[in-house]
Every structure is written in structure tokens, then in C-alpha cells.
Amino acid sequence: MAIRRGEAGAAGTARGWRGRGRFGMVEVDGPSMVPTLEHGDWLLVRYGARVRPGDVVILRHPFQQDLLVVKRAVERREGGWWVLGDNAFAGGDSTVYGVVPRAMVLARVAARLRPRPTGGHGREPVRGVRATLGWAYSAVRPVRSEVSFSRRLRAR
């Protein structure tokens, strides 16, 4: 899952803005972090935050410096971080480009906001009190390493 600053880009990209101070918002576009993150989710990120194994992070793509990606920092290795997407079938992680230097890891994801369904692309708009409460209950979630580890990472 990638992020391009300011506008939507190719598959696996997102658009975002950097807020004042150390926090910002990023929109997810792509499947590499499913089931933890889905296309259209908005992420609250903290720039310059300390990264620990298991954290979901925003980093510069090692081969395309203008492209930002969302991955899970799995472990610290010599020279940087080994990062993986939660979706084993999406690719585009350290198995392709190796260790990511620490300087390329820009932010840690603090929370996810799942937008309200709008009815586009086969989705029905959320209607009624029960549906709205169900959406509200699941819309905002913290993204923590101990809670959102995918089965792919637990199996290794």
C-alpha cells in the first residue's frame, strides 16, 4: 500500500496532508495491508515517532523516492527495518526491495478511520439508526502492533 503526497496515484497509493506539528492524515489506496487497513481508510499518523517491531508505518519507497508506502515494521535489522504488508498476495515489501533505511521511515500510524459507505461501487448507503451506530462503533480504531498483527506475521 503506497501513499503519494497530495494526490491519488497508481494502485496501492494514497493521498494525504501533513498537519501542523507532528500529526497528519493519510488516505489508503491499495490492498497490501488488508485486513488491517482497507482501500479508502483514513489514517492518523505521527511523524518522527519512535518505531517498534509490529508498528504500521509510512515510509519512502526505496526505488521511487516520491512514493510513500504503508507497511508493517516487522524487525530491526542492520541498516534499517524489514517491512511487510499484511496481505501476502499483494507484494511490494522488503521481500522485493530488502531492508529499508531508518531515515526512510517517516511516520507511525496511530489510528484508522473507516469512512461511511456512500453507495458507490455496489455499496448501499448506510441508512437507519442501527446501521449508523454499527458503522460508528467500527469506524475509528487504534492501530496497535499487539492488536492488529495479521495471521501471516504470527505464523512466521
Side-chain angles (χ1 to χ4, degrees):
M1 211 163 277
I3 301 167
R4 191 181 314 257
R5 288 182 194 235
E7 61 181 41
T13 65
R15 58 194 151 128
W17 56 269
R18 189 170 179 167
R20 288 186 198 169
R22 301 180 64 145
F23 288 93
M25 294 293 292
V26 174
E27 184 181 8
V28 174
D29 181 23
S32 74
M33 288 297 293
V34 170
T36 306
L37 305 174
E38 294 182 10
H39 177 80
D41 286 351
W42 280 89
L43 307 176
L44 174 65
V45 298
R46 184 168 184 187
Y47 293 94
R50 192 177 126 206
V51 177
R52 294 174 299 222
D55 286 343
V56 177
V57 296
I58 308 295
L59 57 115
R60 289 193 186 281
H61 191 286
F63 302 143
Q64 293 177 278
Q65 298 288 310
D66 63 332
L67 186 66
L68 301 179
V69 295
V70 180
K71 299 292 176 193
R72 188 175 300 277
V74 177
E75 65 183 20
R76 189 176 287 186
R77 293 191 178 181
E78 186 176 331
W81 284 96
W82 187 262
V83 297
L84 293 174
D86 286 358
N87 182 351
F89 302 107
D93 51 26
S94 285
T95 58
V96 174
Y97 45 74
V99 175
V100 176
R102 286 187 207 24
M104 294 179 119
V105 178
L106 305 176
R108 184 181 75 216
V109 175
R112 174 211 26 107
L113 170 65
R114 184 144 298 146
R116 193 171 180 170
T118 61
H121 300 290
R123 291 176 131 181
E124 293 280 331
V126 175
R127 294 185 186 147
V129 174
R130 180 180 243 174
T132 301
L133 289 174
W135 165 80
Y137 177 74
S138 68
V140 179
R141 294 278 188 218
V143 178
R144 293 178 280 183
S145 58
E146 66 273 5
V147 172
S148 57
F149 247 54
S150 74
R151 289 185 204 124
R152 173 183 178 207
L153 298 179
R154 277 189 233 141
R156 290 185 174 191

